[in-house]
Amino acid sequence: MTKEKILRLLPSVDELARWWEEAENDQVVPVGRSVLIPLVRELTQELREKILGDKLSDSSELSKEELLQALGTKIKGLAEYKLDLMINATGVVLHTNLGRAVLSERVAEAVARIAANYSNLELELTSGERGSRYSHVEEYLCKLTGAEGALVVNNNAGAVLLALAALARGKEAIVSRGELVEIGGSFRIPEVMAQSGVALVEVGATNKTYPADYSNAISENTGLLLKVHTSNYRIVGFTRETTREELVQLGKKHQLPVMEDLGSGCLIDLKQWGINGEPTVQQCIAAGVDLITFSGDKLLGGPQAGIIVGAKKIIGRLKKHPLTRALRIDKFTVAALEATLKEYINNSAIENIPTLSMLTASLPELRARAGRVAARLEQELGKNAQIAVEEGSSMVGGGALPTVELPGTVIGIKPYVISCHQAAKELRLGNNKVMVRVQDDKLLVDLRTVFPRQEENLIGKIVEILRGEL
Ligand SMILES: *Cc1c(COP(=O)(O)O)cnc(C)c1O
């Protein structure tokens, strides 16, 4: 048959849409015409291209039955959730691609409760006047960090932008060359500074910056001394960093505000769990830093947010800045942050905030869980894979504590009926999506980031993908 003849077998868009509407499609989600027509058009266009490119295997692909089936697949695909749950078996606790911090069930319930009801988001209950959405979390943040004031915006990048614009627009901010960080997803300190209208004055060298480097650069144009926490890298070897105490002293001497972009924003010293190198927000406030910004969804373990704490006067200036309105948090974030901070207030953060329980999980417990899951996999997979429990380490992730390796246990799986690469891909697709690490031709499953309630689904999915005919 010539291509022209085959093309004539294709029904028109209207005709195919009518077939669909007349057919009984109980098993497929109902869609309206406005959605049906573009899908039909997409399908006929694809088929037309296939015909013209000689890619059509058989003209039976154009039968009414086949066309309706192809359309059904498209409609089902459209109706599926694009944002779906994943089981994180990578051991990377703050995995940015998997949504960073996971909220506890209790915090998630607090969000759902506020989402499905009216609330006093911006209502002063005693006076009946308009209130502030920040009031619900400001007191907690001040009590927990020792700061005089607090404000919360959309994320830490926004917090830095707002703080710079409010404190030093049209002026210069002095930063060490060792702290000009780039955080994944294109957050670069020099570029954010440019956007905020603040001129960057770099001082020192990559590995060494002395207090004198800052004081030599101070002039009547200086508006701010800025310290940036090198969250996702460390400069090691021959180094000299100007401490925040030294910066605070300089700031006092020259009457300049000192701001610190802390990145992760840890409220609990994790030293006793072997996690070193992250200053707490309290330490920075105690050192006299005027303004500190950090993320809500990194080590704090809460919702995405940019938390700003510091001197009352400066926070007051930030609250009045027009950017604050553009960067304001929604009520879900307020609810999630309030419930997360409550865990800190109640001294139950380590047990009840998933990020912190995962980071501090004990090695014997991780070993026992890995042993149990590995035994199940061995039993179900038999000769389809080689399974071994190995010592391994997990990462904090999310651009936090890059040099910290959390000692842990991993299950190493060498599949025999499928390649590692293919297995990792299929694990990510379909129901019960799973993300694993791939290393040395093995799949590594780290239970540190898997909730016990997810174990059965994890085992089921791995068995489904790895089992086959040898
Ligand atoms: C993560 C990080 C940011 C960006 O924070 P987001 O909440 O992702 O916007 C900025 N600065 C530092 C130092 C960071 O570690």
Side-chain angles (χ1 to χ4, degrees):
M1 248 196 290
T2 61
K3 284 180 193 173
E4 286 70 27
K5 272 201 175 142
I6 303 175
L7 278 173
R8 257 179 263 137
L9 294 176
L10 261 182
S12 71
V13 170
D14 270 345
E15 197 169 12
L16 181 46
R18 196 154 13 88
W19 288 353
W20 177 263
E21 286 166 343
E22 283 163 7
E24 287 203 10
N25 292 298
D26 303 336
Q27 76 285 20
V28 183
V29 215
V31 285
R33 266 224 141 206
S34 60
V35 173
L36 180 62
I37 295 294
L39 287 175
V40 172
R41 200 168 281 138
E42 199 178 282
L43 177 64
T44 46
Q45 184 60 25
E46 280 165 16
L47 288 167
R48 188 169 294 125
E49 278 162 22
K50 241 174 149 178
I51 295 166
L52 294 172
D54 280 327
K55 301 240 168 60
L56 199 73
S57 52
D58 188 334
S59 60
S60 73
E61 261 193 72
L62 304 179
S63 70
K64 182 170 175 178
E65 202 185 5
E66 292 276 332
L67 288 173
L68 288 179
Q69 191 164 358
L71 191 53
T73 306
K74 272 192 184 294
I75 291 172
K76 255 192 238 154
L78 188 76
E80 263 167 21
Y81 277 107
K82 307 287 183 287
L83 180 60
D84 201 1
L85 308 186
M86 292 218 62
I87 296 176
N88 175 8
T90 65
V92 181
V93 178
L94 294 170
H95 200 301
T96 299
N97 299 356
L98 304 184
R100 281 201 193 152
V102 173
L103 305 177
S104 68
E105 303 273 353
R106 193 189 308 181
V107 173
E109 273 166 29
V111 178
R113 196 171 69 96
I114 293 301
N117 291 282
Y118 292 107
S119 63
N120 61 331
L121 180 67
E122 289 194 350
L123 184 71
E124 251 294 346
L125 289 171
T126 34
S127 65
E129 312 256 301
R130 178 163 190 176
S132 152
R133 64 180 61 211
Y134 308 109
S135 65
H136 308 286
V137 290
E138 185 166 9
E139 190 186 355
Y140 282 167
L141 284 169
C142 292
K143 292 274 190 306
L144 289 167
T145 64
E148 293 170 4
L151 177 64
V152 185
V153 293
N154 192 45
N155 59 11
N156 188 33
V160 173
L161 179 72
L162 167 66
L164 289 171
L167 296 183
R169 188 171 184 85
K171 301 195 113 183
E172 296 172 352
I174 306 178
V175 194
S176 159
R177 287 205 168 83
E179 299 176 359
L180 297 172
V181 308
E182 174 182 306
I183 308 291
S186 69
F187 170 92
R188 284 182 168 177
I189 280 291
E191 289 166 14
V192 175
M193 294 185 73
Q195 284 301 318
S196 64
V198 176
L200 168 67
V201 176
E202 302 172 26
V203 296
T206 305
N207 58 333
K208 290 194 177 199
T209 305
Y210 299 93
D213 294 321
Y214 289 87
S215 44
N216 290 339
I218 292 175
S219 71
E220 73 272 13
N221 297 326
T222 309
L224 183 74
L225 302 180
L226 174 64
K227 189 163 182 62
V228 183
H229 185 54
T230 57
S231 300
N232 56 2
Y233 66 100
R234 289 285 181 268
I235 295 173
V236 295
F238 223 40
T239 66
R240 169 66 157 95
E241 182 190 356
T242 296
T243 64
R244 66 177 61 84
E245 287 78 9
E246 288 168 331
L247 266 193
V248 166
Q249 241 177 18
L250 268 178
K252 284 218 169 75
K253 187 169 156 199
H254 297 274
Q255 294 191 321
L256 287 169
V258 175
M259 164 179 162
E260 182 161 0
D261 171 13
L262 202 49
S264 299
C266 201
L267 293 184
I268 294 179
D269 194 337
L270 298 171
K271 215 179 285 160
Q272 71 174 101
W273 290 278
I275 302 169
N276 289 307
E278 197 64 29
T280 62
V281 181
Q282 297 90 308
Q283 281 165 9
C284 301
I285 290 288
V289 177
D290 298 293
L291 199 70
I292 296 159
T293 71
F294 57 95
S295 294
D297 56 352
K298 289 185 181 171
L299 290 174
L300 187 81
Q304 177 188 307
I307 301 173
I308 311 174
V309 295
K312 200 168 191 72
K313 225 171 94 186
I314 296 185
I315 295 288
R317 269 167 73 188
L318 262 57
K319 281 182 181 167
K320 284 194 223 101
H321 196 279
L323 263 181
T324 301
R325 176 61 178 82
L327 295 169
R328 88 172 180 190
I329 46 170
D330 59 33
K331 56 188 174 184
F332 316 124
T333 306
V334 176
L337 189 58
E338 180 184 11
T340 302
L341 293 173
K342 255 193 186 3
E343 299 290 4
Y344 286 92
I345 295 277
N346 297 343
N347 206 21
S348 50
I350 296 283
E351 305 90 87
N352 291 347
I353 293 181
T355 300
L356 296 178
S357 348
M358 287 173 181
L359 287 174
T360 59
S362 82
L363 196 50
E365 183 197 328
L366 289 170
R367 261 192 211 131
R369 284 181 68 196
R372 262 196 330 264
V373 171
R376 284 282 311 281
L377 287 172
E378 221 157 29
Q379 184 192 342
E380 305 241 0
L381 282 169
K383 292 197 161 54
N384 288 157
Q386 185 191 58
I387 315 271
V389 175
E390 308 163 7
E391 294 300 290
S393 58
S394 336
M395 301 290 288
V396 178
L401 295 157
T403 53
V404 171
E405 287 195 358
L406 307 163
T409 303
V410 294
I411 306 169
I413 307 173
K414 214 177 166 67
Y416 290 140
V417 291
I418 184 172
S419 77
C420 245
H421 179 78
Q422 187 62 24
K425 179 177 169 186
E426 288 186 22
L427 284 169
R428 288 194 302 268
L429 299 170
N431 284 333
N432 293 319
K433 300 173 168 65
V434 173
M435 182 91 162
V436 296
R437 266 186 315 192
V438 177
Q439 199 177 299
D440 303 331
D441 240 14
K442 265 188 297 191
L443 305 171
L444 297 186
V445 169
D446 188 335
L447 296 175
R448 182 189 293 274
T449 46
V450 177
F451 292 102
R453 60 178 154 83
Q454 298 174 320
E455 272 177 21
E456 276 310 309
N457 284 344
L458 172 69
I459 294 169
K461 179 74 172 196
I462 295 175
V463 170
E464 175 198 327
I465 303 300
L466 267 59
R467 192 153 50 186
E469 292 290 319
L470 274 178

